[in-house]
Structures are given as C-alpha cells and as structure tokens.
Amino acid sequence: MYEHCFKRLLDIVLSLLAMIFLSWLLLLLAIVIMIDDPGPILFSQKRVGKHKKYFRLHKFRSMKRNAPHDVPTHLLENPNTYITRVGRILRRYSLDELPQVWDIFVGHMSIVGPRPALWNQTDLVEARERYGANDVRPGLTGLAQINGRDELSIEEKSRLDGAYTAALRAGGWKAFAMDLRCFFGTFRPVCTANGVLEGREAPHRAGEDSHSNVGGD
C-alpha cells in the first residue's frame, strides 16, 4: 500500500514542486553549462530500472562532448581531463542530478531508492539481485548514498540497497521512516560533498555510480 500508493503520490507531488520552485536554478545552471562548454545542456543515458527494465535517465552535462559513452568514470584513463570546469562543481554538490526530478515525476524513478545502475554494470545488478534490490524503483538518493556514496564497494552498496528494499517491503511506518531517514540524511553529504571521489586524487571504488557518456555526466 505504502510503496504503490502513498510513496508514488509523494514522488509526484514533491517532484512537481521541485520543478516549479527550482526552475530558476535549473535555468541558471543550463546557461552556465552552455557558456562553459557549448553543446547539449542535458544528456540521457540507459539505466536499469524497476524489475531490471531499462529507462532513460537525465542529468546536466558535466563532461566534455568527446567523453566516451557508457563507460564508468573510474574506468576512464585520466577521467579528470573529460570533466568541465562547471562539471566539477555540479558533481561535487550533486547539482547534475537535478533533471532527474522529471524522471521521478513520470514514474521511472523515486525520490528514495537504490541509485540506478548503468545498463552494462552487470556486477552491480547481479549483486543487487541477491538482495532483491532490483525489484523497486531506483532513486535520486538512497541508504547507500547517506552511508558512503562513491566510497562503497559493490557488495557494501548492494547490501545497503537490500536493507532499504526490505524496509520498503515491510510497508507502513517502517517504510516511511526509512524514506525520511534517507531523504533528510542526504543534505549533509551533498552540502559537504562527503563520499564524492570524482575530481579528487583518491582512487575510485568499483561500485560507484557511473558518470560517463557522450555528453558527459
């Protein structure tokens, strides 16, 4: 009941409000991206959704147009050479994720859930399968995002995604409390860029969220 009705209703209402009240910021970021590196403002990328069905995820472009397509950032040689100046700021504070409010509004994603894997990240998808985490809508943020983000291994990330899925399946106040925990727990990591390794000298973990594509992510 909670997952299919109340949670979905919250997603629709909150994503609609976000698009309305953040429209000025979305426009400002679009202008800055275009000035910094002329080209597409947005890009779409094939990701794994609920029940392992593919959908197109949207982000602000944070990489140069010649960046390899569908290659996780940690697998690129000298990944920092592909990230634009504005892109570093967008990624550091997760501003590149803002266009996903549209993906939430249309039902491909939820505000809270496991971060959607790239279509070719089979190791992450298979690990999540063991925990049942592929059977819920992917999210803008989730339990893994407030407990390490890029610093987590695939197994650690999948275990946390499984814990979130179990709480969601329990329904009722337990599920709602988990969503509240993930939602409000996101603000501190985002504001401090805690757990974000991109653009730094620290090595990337294999389980991180991918950010590479033709337009950059």
Side-chain angles (χ1 to χ4, degrees):
M1 180 69 177
Y2 172 78
E3 179 183 358
H4 300 291
C5 295
F6 187 64
K7 180 177 173 67
R8 179 60 191 139
L9 179 61
L10 278 177
D11 284 339
I12 294 172
V13 172
L14 293 179
S15 60
L16 178 60
L17 290 175
M19 287 188 286
I20 294 173
F21 290 105
L22 295 179
S23 57
W24 65 273
L25 178 58
L26 297 172
L27 178 60
L28 177 62
L29 292 177
I31 294 173
V32 172
I33 291 169
M34 178 64 73
I35 294 174
D36 180 52
D37 187 62
I41 295 170
L42 299 174
F43 80 92
S44 65
Q45 189 176 55
K46 187 165 73 170
R47 296 286 181 117
V48 180
K50 186 176 181 179
H51 300 313
K52 294 189 287 187
K53 294 182 179 179
Y54 297 134
F55 73 99
R56 304 299 300 187
L57 174 142
H58 298 85
K59 286 191 177 187
F60 278 126
R61 180 170 65 91
S62 61
M63 296 185 77
K64 299 175 182 178
R65 299 181 66 184
N66 64 340
H69 188 72
D70 286 339
V71 179
T73 303
H74 67 282
L75 295 181
L76 289 173
E77 185 177 352
N78 299 320
N80 287 341
T81 62
Y82 291 107
I83 304 175
T84 64
R85 291 172 299 177
V86 170
R88 293 180 184 278
I89 299 174
L90 294 177
R91 288 171 172 234
R92 185 172 180 82
Y93 297 103
S94 300
L95 294 172
D96 58 323
E97 312 282 359
L98 287 178
Q100 287 163 53
V101 295
W102 171 256
D103 299 320
I104 295 170
F105 182 73
V106 299
H108 296 313
M109 292 178 60
S110 179
I111 294 175
V112 180
R115 283 297 298 163
L118 262 172
W119 64 272
N120 56 2
Q121 286 183 299
T122 55
D123 48 357
L124 178 57
V125 175
E126 290 173 357
R128 284 175 169 172
E129 187 69 18
R130 296 196 298 270
Y131 294 97
N134 291 321
D135 296 329
V136 297
R137 280 192 182 91
L140 184 64
T141 186
L143 192 59
Q145 277 59 54
I146 65 172
N147 285 283
R149 301 174 75 179
D150 294 352
E151 297 174 343
L152 299 176
S153 68
I154 286 178
E155 184 61 28
E156 290 170 324
K157 180 177 290 187
S158 301
R159 180 182 59 80
L160 288 169
D161 290 337
Y164 171 79
T165 302
L168 185 62
R169 292 290 189 238
W173 285 106
K174 184 175 182 179
F176 184 53
M178 175 62 80
D179 277 347
L180 288 178
R181 174 187 173 188
C182 294
F183 180 79
F184 288 107
T186 299
F187 292 99
R188 183 176 181 182
V190 167
C191 293
T192 61
N194 185 37
V196 177
L197 300 183
E198 292 177 354
R200 303 181 183 181
E201 296 301 321
H204 291 270
R205 301 292 293 271
E208 69 179 285
D209 187 26
S210 167
H211 291 287
S212 291
N213 62 89
V214 154
D217 176 18

